[in-house]
Amino acid sequence: MLMRATLLLLGCCAVAAAAHGKDAKQHGHRKGEYDKPHIMLMLADDFGWTNIGLHTQDQEVQTPNMNSLAASGVELDRHYAYKICSPSRCSLQSGRYPVNVNVVNVEPTVHNPSDPVGGYAGIPVNMTTIAWKMRSAGYRTYMTGKWDAGMATPTHTPMGRGYEQWLGYYHHANDYWTEGLPIASTGSVDVCNNAYIDLWSTDGPANTLNGTAYEEELFTNHSLAMIKNHDPSEPMFLFHSFHLVHTPLQVPQSYLDEFDFIRWSPWQRKPYAAMVKYLDDALGMLVEAVKDKGMWENTLMVFVSDNGGPIYFPAGANNYPLKGGKMSD
């Protein structure tokens, strides 16, 4: 039920003696300025164990930013996560084991009318969440990307769970170019024949953005704006939840072209490798933005995958030498 997933603790977190009392004055900091570090939680989707340069020398894995960050951080190589998206994300947001929150990857529209507390997809409404805990500690809370932890009522949404601003989608996946919900994204047909557009901005549809750019470009720009507009005197909690590298395997052509040397089967290895490269580039841009803002020396960045990489068709992850993959028992 649990599987190993990549977890990196990255960045420079200035919470030691230099942030307190006499030593703080010697380093030119106000007392208490660094008592609460900025925290960036970066969550990849369906990221394979061997799809990071730390774990392979294969040329189809190009993750220079992750490699560089890990070299100055800590890799927790015995980190275990649940086997599939929504339960893993509900666990992360609630701080509870999946068995106590949600162990099924049901559609967001599922409803059990006999259970008004936990009878909806996602996190039961009576459970606290990480964003509310961070806000109670004085943090500003921002989110970008995939939610997949409930949407039935306002309380189930990212804002109902403590995030102040959000751009993203509710479902397991959507189309990277249109933000629609075709069967290639969801794997099933819903009651509305998959006619929804799933892209939201805080409290309403992001209907001026869907279909305007590659979805991860929209997400990167949103998090960059959150960083740019943030007041560094307040602690920041930024949860950036990549759609990458979940299916459908879609990526700009320029990234595909970089991997033309991958010509052997299965075909999905090429787009998956290109998507990993896009993810790495986006991660690098977010790090540079925090550095440009002068916040990096007081930032803890955590990069983690929600579960192991999928090795079933049509996904293209690589978990070697580990056994199995996403949805394995």
Side-chain angles (χ1 to χ4, degrees):
M1 298 294 286
L2 296 179
M3 56 198 320
R4 280 167 70 179
T6 301
L7 173 60
L8 306 176
L9 301 179
L10 312 168
C12 303
C13 187
V15 293
H20 298 275
K22 179 175 63 176
D23 291 334
K25 295 179 182 178
Q26 292 175 353
H27 287 79
H29 304 312
R30 298 185 301 273
K31 183 177 181 180
E33 181 181 0
Y34 286 167
D35 288 349
K36 295 177 181 176
H38 307 296
I39 299 174
M40 299 173 67
L41 177 55
M42 309 281 105
L43 182 65
D45 198 345
D46 288 3
F47 191 74
W49 177 262
T50 315
N51 293 114
I52 183 172
L54 290 175
H55 299 156
T56 183
Q57 298 299 313
D58 194 315
Q59 65 173 334
E60 74 178 65
V61 178
Q62 298 181 20
T63 58
N65 291 302
M66 295 185 209
N67 300 347
S68 176
L69 288 166
S72 61
V74 178
E75 179 190 10
L76 303 186
D77 60 3
R78 290 298 185 273
H79 166 73
Y80 291 82
Y82 197 72
K83 63 180 180 179
I84 199 166
C85 299
S86 185
S88 179
R89 292 163 184 273
C90 292
S91 175
L92 178 66
Q93 293 294 325
S94 67
R96 295 167 172 84
Y97 285 118
V99 69
N100 296 320
V101 189
N102 171 25
V103 294
V104 288
N105 210 54
V106 297
E107 299 303 303
T109 53
V110 166
H111 177 214
N112 176 7
S114 66
D115 183 358
V117 176
Y120 302 94
I123 306 168
V125 294
N126 62 343
M127 291 186 177
T128 55
T129 52
I130 186 173
W132 278 122
K133 291 295 185 180
M134 299 303 287
R135 285 181 70 171
S136 69
Y139 278 78
R140 303 302 304 271
T141 56
Y142 313 123
M143 181 186 166
T144 300
K146 178 176 176 176
W147 178 238
D148 203 9
M151 60 172 284
T153 71
T155 302
H156 287 87
T157 68
M159 289 67 62
R161 295 303 188 181
Y163 291 99
E164 299 176 69
Q165 296 187 54
W166 173 56
L167 175 69
Y169 61 97
Y170 286 112
H171 216 286
H172 307 316
N174 62 2
D175 188 275
Y176 282 88
W177 294 105
T178 68
E179 285 71 48
L181 296 173
I183 193 169
S185 297
T186 65
S188 62
V189 178
D190 62 33
V191 294
C192 293
N193 290 320
N194 297 47
Y196 288 123
I197 298 294
D198 192 2
L199 186 67
W200 304 79
S201 180
T202 307
D203 289 319
N207 50 20
T208 62
L209 292 177
N210 61 283
T212 63
Y214 186 58
E215 184 167 64
E216 288 293 348
E217 179 182 346
L218 298 177
F219 289 167
T220 301
N221 289 339
H222 181 262
S223 284
L224 289 174
M226 296 298 98
I227 294 168
K228 179 180 179 180
N229 297 327
H230 179 72
D231 180 354
S233 67
E234 298 180 285
M236 175 186 74
F237 176 62
L238 171 62
F239 175 46
H240 187 100
S241 178
F242 292 94
H243 185 170
L244 294 165
V245 280
H246 195 291
T247 52
L249 301 184
Q250 299 170 333
V251 69
Q253 185 63 44
S254 60
Y255 277 82
L256 277 175
D257 292 343
E258 293 186 47
F259 294 87
D260 274 346
F261 60 87
I262 303 178
R263 298 183 181 276
W264 52 86
S265 62
W267 66 265
Q268 57 266 38
R269 288 176 64 179
K270 179 177 177 179
Y272 191 96
M275 293 166 76
V276 168
K277 177 63 163 56
Y278 196 109
L279 187 156
D280 186 76
D281 286 350
L283 183 65
M285 293 174 66
L286 296 175
V287 170
E288 287 303 311
V290 175
K291 289 181 177 179
D292 291 343
K293 190 78 172 182
M295 297 164 51
W296 182 248
E297 294 300 320
N298 188 38
T299 293
L300 172 66
M301 174 180 281
V302 179
F303 176 84
V304 64
S305 178
D306 61 345
N307 43 248
I311 55 176
Y312 50 80
F313 183 83
N318 184 358
N319 300 304
Y320 180 83
L322 305 181
K323 296 180 179 179
K326 179 182 179 180
M327 295 200 291
S328 296
D329 280 330

